[in-house]
Amino acid sequence: MKSPLKNAKCKNLSISFLKKILPANSRIDSYNLFDGAVELSLGNIGHHVRAHTEKKIIYEFWRCVQHNPKLLHRFLTYDGFVFRGENDFFSLQETLPTRKDAYMRSSIFFLLNRCSESGYASHGDYDDRSYNMYALRRLKNFQAPPAFKVFHDSGPMHLEMMKRSDCDYVIVPSLRFSFNLFEHGKSISYDTQTVVHSELKNVLSSSRKNTILIYNFHEELLKYFSDFNIYLIDKYGRICFEKEQCEEIIVTNF
């Protein structure tokens, strides 16, 4: 089952490579949960995935869509809910966290994700090309793999990663590198998570767990993580050896 959410920042090209290197029935802790494409793909082939996020709205969405996706669909399609496109889009971005019901928040989160060019509910310009009957049908019919679990973490991601001791692999997908050492140059809001790349590097060095970081290609990463194993992934999801062909970079400590 594919994710109902849109990921506008990453193509998740590394999934095929992960499926090849991870032993069957691996226990995986994943962090930086957003669209869940990597986590669901691994769960669909029998891995036991615990997906973690610091953001309550993201945690709520996944809990609600796991338990009752039809209720989310019903809210967005019943006659009493009126969405007037761009006129309502920016207002909903601001007011989403104030909605009192978790299923209502999760429904609007889905709508904003699908109508935001950035893929984020909290910011981005209006673009509704991904909000259509096909997307709503995917939401309605969503069924998560049995061994896919979602957790809301209270602490920073790198500290939570170091706490876990009963998994086989730790994975952090959907990363982007920038020179200010944070993933996003924009201010952090209710669905954007702070990523300190220097702390992730420290985790790679100090953790005894097999750890995998998945980045969009950035040439600086080749130097920044030069002490670790680096795999270049091309636009077809295959290993490549020329940076000019690279779309994503996988960094591991094993």
Side-chain angles (χ1 to χ4, degrees), residues 5-235:
L5 295 180
K6 176 178 75 173
N7 189 336
K9 64 174 183 173
C10 296
K11 299 178 181 178
N12 295 310
L13 299 169
S14 299
I15 292 174
S16 296
F17 180 73
L18 294 178
K19 289 180 177 180
K20 292 178 182 178
I21 67 170
L22 297 175
N25 301 311
S26 293
R27 297 169 300 169
I28 299 168
D29 275 324
S30 174
Y31 294 84
N32 198 38
L33 173 66
F34 187 71
D35 71 311
V38 170
E39 294 87 348
L40 292 173
S41 294
L42 295 177
N44 284 333
I45 61 172
H47 295 298
H48 302 270
V49 181
R50 298 183 297 195
H52 299 259
T53 177
E54 296 175 36
K55 297 300 179 178
K56 182 180 178 181
I57 189 67
I58 297 174
Y59 168 76
E60 280 185 341
F61 171 81
W62 283 107
R63 292 289 290 171
C64 289
V65 80
Q66 280 182 287
H67 288 139
N68 197 342
K70 290 181 173 58
L71 182 57
L72 301 183
H73 177 271
R74 193 180 310 138
F75 175 81
L76 294 170
T77 55
Y78 92 110
D79 292 340
F81 177 71
V82 179
F83 176 61
R84 294 166 295 185
E86 190 169 6
N87 290 331
D88 291 333
F89 175 72
F90 296 107
S91 174
L92 288 174
Q93 284 183 330
E94 296 292 332
T95 61
L96 172 58
T98 68
R99 305 283 171 155
K100 295 182 179 180
D101 180 75
Y103 277 92
M104 181 183 295
R105 287 193 297 270
S106 297
S107 299
I108 295 174
F109 177 80
F110 169 82
L111 182 154
L112 292 172
N113 162 262
R114 283 284 173 172
C115 290
S116 172
E117 53 81 25
S118 73
Y120 289 105
S122 60
H123 63 270
D125 294 329
Y126 180 70
D127 181 355
D128 67 350
R129 286 176 293 178
S130 294
Y131 184 65
N132 48 45
M133 294 306 298
Y134 174 77
L136 286 165
R137 192 181 308 120
R138 180 182 291 184
L139 174 69
K140 179 181 179 181
N141 297 326
F142 177 77
Q143 186 173 359
F148 171 75
K149 309 297 182 184
V150 181
F151 295 86
H152 182 213
D153 290 339
S154 58
M157 180 170 64
H158 63 279
L159 295 181
E160 296 292 332
M161 290 169 68
M162 295 299 294
K163 289 181 182 179
R164 313 297 169 187
S165 60
D166 59 344
C167 65
D168 302 311
Y169 293 89
V170 172
I171 296 178
V172 187
S174 301
L175 293 168
R176 291 187 299 180
F177 186 84
S178 60
F179 288 103
N180 66 358
L181 299 184
F182 289 90
E183 183 181 11
H184 305 292
K186 299 179 180 179
S187 59
I188 303 302
S189 61
Y190 56 79
D191 65 343
T192 55
Q193 183 165 302
T194 303
V195 177
V196 184
H197 302 290
S198 59
E199 296 292 358
L200 291 183
K201 188 176 182 179
N202 289 337
V203 171
L204 283 177
S205 298
S206 58
S207 177
R208 296 180 180 180
K209 290 298 177 184
N210 295 326
T211 303
I212 302 170
L213 309 181
I214 306 173
Y215 281 91
N216 281 1
F217 176 75
H218 191 299
E219 188 169 352
E220 186 66 21
L221 290 167
L222 300 175
K223 301 176 184 177
Y224 194 72
F225 289 110
S226 60
D227 293 335
F228 304 95
N229 297 315
I230 295 177
Y231 303 90
L232 308 184
I233 305 297
D234 69 12
K235 64 180 180 180

Side-chain angles (χ1 to χ4, degrees), residues 241-253:
F241 301 95
E242 303 294 334
K243 63 183 180 181
E244 290 77 15
Q245 300 173 350
C246 182
E247 296 283 337
E248 291 181 359
I249 287 181
I250 295 176
V251 184
T252 76
N253 62 356

